[in-house]
Structures are given as C-alpha cells and as structure tokens.
Amino acid sequence: MSRATQSRPRPRCRRAARTVAVAYVVAMIVGGLSAGAQGSTPAEPLLSWLSQPGLNVLYVFVLMPLAVMLGDLGGGGGDAVPYSLALSCGLGAVVNVLLVWAATCFVRAVAADLPACRKRRTAVR
C-alpha cells in the first residue's frame, strides 16, 4: 500500500471524532441550559454524571484554588444562576474531551515507539 492510501481513512476518522466531541459539548450545554431554566429537575444528576470526571478535575484544579485565593464569595447559598449548570456541565464536557484527546495522543505515541523498543530489546545475533 502506498502512503497516500494508508493516510486516507485517518482524516475522516479525525473529522468524525471532532464532530462527536463538539456534539457532546453542545448537548451538555443545551441540556444544562434547559435544566437550569426549569429549576430543579431530575435531569440535573444525569447531566452531572455525564460530565464526570471532567467536572471533578475542574473543581479540584480550578475552582477550589480560586476559592482559597479569593475567599468565599457567598454564591453557593441555593440561589443558583440559571446558566451555572450549563456552564459547569459544558466546561466539564470540554475537560472530558481534552482528557480523551490526551489519552489518545499518548496511546498513539506509545504505539509508534513500540517497534523501535522491540527492535532494541532483542539480542543481536
């Protein structure tokens, strides 16, 4: 096979992956907006569950250090802004997409280096 025929399926796969990632983030934002506009709905736990572990990463590495540096601003008293659920679920979804992208890049890098590692590991005869 020539190099051109081997690389042909890859852009189509990457385009599909980008489309799925954008659709996931948009669906999380729209779901958060609709659930936030209706008040307390049974969809809130589902949206929070679908945005895990990105939402936890966002809380631990961004929001908690900001709360420590800036102090408590008193925004968590139950009067949540309607778009806060959309913002948190959307940002959690973005972090999830970035986590999957990083894991995919890592796996590709390891897979690309495996033949060279196997070649070096075998004894010279």
Side-chain angles (χ1 to χ4, degrees):
M1 292 180 119
S2 70
R3 186 171 174 90
T5 58
Q6 287 177 345
S7 65
R8 187 169 262 194
R10 182 175 261 171
R12 192 177 302 158
C13 180
R14 286 185 181 169
R15 188 176 309 130
R18 286 184 191 132
T19 303
V20 168
V22 169
Y24 168 62
V25 171
V26 168
M28 293 300 292
I29 291 172
V30 169
L33 280 173
S34 66
Q38 294 175 359
S40 181
T41 63
E44 287 181 28
L46 177 66
L47 288 171
S48 295
W49 180 77
L50 287 173
S51 62
Q52 298 297 330
L55 193 55
N56 288 342
V57 170
L58 186 70
Y59 282 144
V60 170
F61 293 110
V62 176
L63 296 178
M64 290 174 87
L66 280 176
V68 168
M69 287 189 315
L70 300 176
D72 189 17
L73 299 176
D79 52 349
V81 181
Y83 56 84
S84 64
L85 182 64
L87 183 64
S88 64
C89 289
L91 289 176
V94 168
V95 172
N96 283 340
V97 167
L98 291 175
L99 288 172
V100 169
W101 173 73
T104 305
C105 287
F106 176 76
V107 168
R108 283 184 182 163
V110 168
D113 286 343
L114 273 178
C117 291
R118 287 183 182 154
K119 188 175 182 180
R120 278 183 276 175
R121 190 174 60 183
T122 58
V124 177
R125 295 180 187 207

